[in-house]
Every structure is written in C-alpha cells, then in structure tokens.
Amino acid sequence: MSNENQLKINNLSVSYGNNKVLENLSFSVDGLCAVVGQNGCGKTTLLKAVSQLIDSSGDITFENDDIRTLSLKEKSRLISYIPQKTGVSEDMSVLDVVLSAFNSRLSMFENPSSSQIQKAENALKFVGLENFGKRNYSTLSAGQQQLCIIARTVAEDTKLWLLDEPDSALDIVNRYSTMKLLSDIAKEKGVTGLVTLHDPMLALYSCEKVIVISEGKCAGIIDTKTDSQAEIEKVLSKAFCGVKVVKALDRYAIFPCC
C-alpha cells in the first residue's frame, strides 16, 4: 500500500468516562472502506475520533500528516464528515445546502463562484436530484435529504470521507445504487473514506475493503476482491457471533447462525 491517500490508525483508544469504546484500534486503508460491527462496537466513535470531534489517544495520519496538527480550515478542506443526523434545520434551498460545501473556502461576504455553482448542480445530478435545486430542503423526504447531503459531500471535493450510515434513510434500491455511486466517485477522484454500515451484505457489495470491528478493536479487514468465501465468513463471525456466507449472482448473502 502506498502512502498516497493512505489513512493510518495506530493504537486509537477512546473512552467515555470509565467506558472504553475503542481500545488500541489499528489499521491502514486507502479507497472507500466500509466499517461494520454490532451496535455499540464503536463505529460512530471511530469517525468522530478521526474527524477530531472527540478526544482520543493514539495516532491518526493521512498521507503521512498527523491530522491533529492541521488547522480547522485545513481539516475542513481535507475531510467531509456526514453524521447520522445532518443538522440542516434552516429553510434553505436544496442547491444552497449543497453550496454550503464551499463555506470554508469563501470569505464572510463572498458568494459562490459560477464554477462552484456548476459543481453543486453536477453533484445534484449525480444523486438524481437535478430537478430539486430550488426546492426547500425541509420539504424533502428523509431519503431525499440524505441524497442532498451526499451531493454536498461530492461537491466538497475533499480527499477523506467519513460517512456515518449514509444509507440509513434510503429504500433498498437507492441504498445499493447510492453506495455504488459513492464507490465509483471515490475511485474516480482518488478519495479515501470510512463509511459505517449496519448491513454487511451492502458493505461487501459496495466496497473492496471492509473493516470489521469487535469489542472496540479491529477483528480483521476483508478484501472482497481476493478473500475467499470461507475467509470472509471467518472474519465476520468474529463480530457477529457466527454467520453463514453464501455467494450467488456475484453477490454475498449473510445469514446469522442463531
């Protein structure tokens, strides 16, 4: 693995009071990688630690740079973070929500440039919302709002994505198509990213690498291109207390063994 666009986590630990959520978590990845594990295993905590929203110990580097040493402006231009709840509550047009991707690059009274507006419109087209630019964001369905926030991430043109369950409000068709879209864009733009997902099948479908977390530690990293069905089953079973993996039509189906 080259150091270009490489995210390296070494001995990352996070505690909430006396509760250890992540303990000496270590891995190195590039490209768009899914993060899976049981509820409460520390998936969201991992994203918050990498994005510097919470205190942590250990090392977090990207392209050999210590993320903790970057200024707020440098981090905003490097990292796109989508939490489970987007926090957009104002009455804003869909286009204005996407254009907010450029806020860190504009002075206080500066308006977005024509090229930035074009990027925002292109991003809306990417997610199928090209006809929604003038709509009020608050009038969209939860799934459409999620697609709008994903469009903002695409428009930001950052190198490191941290996406917390971006599929949560999407129906099954949009869930798979949107993850495929994110994967394709990440490859095209050379983006590295961590995307937490509840569904291991969606993770195996949409990402070449899947980081499996169990009890706050890395139980293994699945390579969907090279790992055998038995190897994938073995790693997933460490986090999900035993599963059966079946491959059909070039996709994986996963069944609990309980």
Side-chain angles (χ1 to χ4, degrees):
M1 180 186 299
S2 69
N3 289 324
E4 184 179 359
N5 292 351
Q6 181 183 2
L7 174 66
K8 186 174 183 179
I9 308 295
N10 188 43
N11 291 327
L12 182 68
S13 296
V14 178
S15 297
Y16 298 124
N18 294 323
N19 180 31
K20 288 186 177 180
V21 181
L22 298 177
E23 186 175 3
N24 298 325
L25 179 70
S26 298
F27 61 83
S28 298
V29 293
D30 56 16
L32 188 65
C33 305
V35 181
V36 301
Q38 290 193 9
N39 291 343
C41 72
K43 298 188 297 294
T44 296
T45 297
L46 168 61
L47 299 194
K48 288 182 176 179
V50 175
S51 60
Q52 302 297 286
L53 293 176
I54 57 175
D55 292 332
S56 63
S57 62
D59 300 319
I60 306 171
T61 60
F62 183 69
E63 297 179 330
N64 283 332
D65 292 327
D66 184 345
I67 287 181
R68 292 188 177 93
T69 65
L70 302 179
S71 68
L72 183 60
K73 179 169 285 189
E74 287 173 329
K75 282 185 282 191
S76 68
R77 293 184 177 185
L78 172 70
I79 300 172
S80 291
Y81 172 64
I82 298 183
Q84 292 179 23
K85 295 183 179 180
T86 63
V88 179
S89 57
E90 301 177 27
D91 283 339
M92 298 174 65
S93 73
V94 169
L95 181 59
D96 283 340
V97 170
V98 179
L99 284 171
S100 67
F102 305 112
N103 284 351
S104 65
R105 306 172 195 184
L106 300 173
S107 60
M108 184 173 297
F109 299 108
E110 185 180 3
N111 292 320
S113 66
S114 57
S115 64
Q116 289 171 332
I117 293 173
Q118 186 63 58
K119 283 184 179 180
E121 291 175 341
N122 289 341
L124 284 172
K125 187 174 182 179
F126 268 133
V127 301
L129 295 180
E130 62 266 33
N131 296 321
F132 288 73
K134 295 182 180 180
R135 281 273 299 272
N136 190 313
Y137 174 85
S138 64
T139 67
L140 301 183
S141 69
Q144 290 170 331
Q145 289 180 347
Q146 193 76 336
L147 289 172
C148 179
I149 298 302
I150 289 172
R152 184 176 68 181
T153 300
V154 172
E156 277 184 307
D157 203 23
T158 50
K159 292 184 177 181
L160 179 59
W161 290 353
L162 304 171
L163 314 179
D164 198 0
E165 297 181 21
D167 64 312
S168 60
L170 304 177
D171 59 58
I172 188 170
V173 174
N174 276 318
R175 188 172 296 166
Y176 276 77
S177 63
T178 299
M179 281 305 304
K180 178 65 164 57
L181 176 66
L182 287 172
S183 179
D184 290 345
I185 294 171
K187 288 179 182 178
E188 179 184 335
K189 293 179 174 290
V191 170
T192 292
L194 301 178
V195 50
T196 67
L197 297 170
H198 269 305
D199 184 356
M201 288 189 289
L202 179 59
L204 294 174
Y205 167 79
S206 54
C207 296
E208 291 185 8
K209 299 289 179 65
V210 179
I211 300 165
V212 182
I213 295 181
S214 178
E215 298 181 348
K217 297 181 179 181
C218 181
I221 299 179
I222 295 170
D223 188 322
T224 60
K225 297 296 184 183
T226 61
D227 288 352
S228 68
Q229 185 174 312
E231 289 170 326
I232 293 172
E233 190 174 280
K234 181 179 179 180
V235 175
L236 287 176
S237 291
K238 293 179 182 179
F240 295 100
C241 302
V243 294
K244 181 65 178 176
V245 176
V246 178
K247 191 171 186 179
L249 301 175
D250 292 325
R251 297 189 187 183
Y252 293 99
I254 302 171
F255 304 94
C257 292
C258 56

